[in-house]
Amino acid sequence: TQSHRIQIIMSYPYKYYRFLNLPPIPDNILAEINRDFDSYARGNPGTGVNRDVYVWSDSWNQVINDWCQQNICSEMYWGFQIIRGNMQPHIDNVTRVKMNYVIDTGGSDVLTEWYADDGVTVIDSVMIEPHRWHTLKVDTLHGVKNVLPGATRFSITGRMF
C-alpha cells in the first residue's frame, strides 16, 4: 500500500552522503597518478575562504577519466580534487551532487560535515574511507576538517548534477 511504502522510505535516515558499491580503481592505475601536486594546473581554484586550500584539476587525468567512463559513468568527466588544509563551510558553485573516490585522506580523523544555515550547527558528518566510491550533496553548506598540517587530501571527482 501507499502508506507502507512511505513508512519504508521514512525508515531510511536522510544523509548528505551515500557510499556506493562500485568497483575500486585498480592499483596499477592508482600507482601511475602524478603525486607532485604542485605541478597540477589550477583548473578551478576554490573560491572565497577556501581559495588557498582547494584545487580542482584535470591535469594527467586521461587514464583515470577513461577508466571511470568505462567502469563508473560514461557521461561524466573525471578530474582531481587537491585539498591542503581544512575547508571552511561553503556551498559549491553550480554542482549539486559530486561523486568522489578518496585516494589520500589527509589524516586519520578527517571529517566532512554539513551545517545548518548558521554555519555552526553540524547536521551530518562522515569520515570517508579511502578507496570507496561515494556521493556528496554539495549544494548544502559543508566543509572538511582535521586535515593534518602538510598533508594533502586527494580525490578523484566527477560532477553528477
Side-chain angles (χ1 to χ4, degrees):
T1 68
Q2 181 68 19
S3 64
H4 178 70
R5 282 197 309 238
I6 291 171
Q7 186 177 25
I8 289 172
I9 291 170
M10 297 304 287
S11 68
Y12 288 95
Y14 187 87
K15 294 184 178 182
Y16 292 81
Y17 63 93
R18 295 282 186 215
F19 291 107
L20 305 170
N21 294 322
L22 297 171
I25 298 171
D27 290 340
N28 64 315
I29 291 176
L30 292 176
E32 293 179 23
I33 295 175
N34 180 4
R35 297 300 180 94
D36 178 8
F37 302 118
D38 291 329
S39 66
Y40 278 75
R42 295 178 65 92
N44 181 16
T47 58
V49 295
N50 294 311
R51 182 179 318 260
D52 295 333
V53 297
Y54 176 85
V55 172
W56 178 91
S57 182
D58 60 358
S59 297
W60 301 286
N61 76 326
Q62 184 173 351
V63 172
I64 283 294
N65 188 59
D66 290 347
W67 188 91
C68 288
Q69 286 183 344
Q70 291 170 14
N71 295 280
I72 304 301
C73 181
S74 63
E75 297 177 2
M76 291 172 64
Y77 184 70
W78 301 90
F80 299 104
Q81 287 185 126
I82 302 165
I83 299 172
R84 291 178 160 168
N86 295 330
M87 291 189 68
Q88 299 302 311
H90 66 284
I91 296 174
D92 286 22
N93 295 326
V94 182
T95 308
R96 294 182 304 188
V97 177
K98 282 186 179 171
M99 181 181 287
N100 288 348
Y101 187 90
V102 173
I103 299 170
D104 299 321
T105 61
S108 61
D109 296 317
V110 176
L111 294 172
T112 301
E113 296 184 326
W114 288 263
Y115 302 90
D117 291 339
D118 65 9
V120 176
T121 305
V122 176
I123 57 175
D124 206 350
S125 179
V126 64
M127 187 178 300
I128 297 172
E129 302 167 21
H131 309 283
R132 189 166 182 196
W133 288 104
H134 58 281
T135 60
L136 300 173
K137 186 167 171 40
V138 296
D139 63 350
T140 302
L141 200 58
H142 66 287
V144 176
K145 72 178 192 180
N146 301 332
V147 175
L148 293 174
T152 300
R153 184 173 180 86
F154 184 55
S155 305
I156 295 164
T157 188
R159 179 186 300 162
M160 290 191 68
F161 301 103

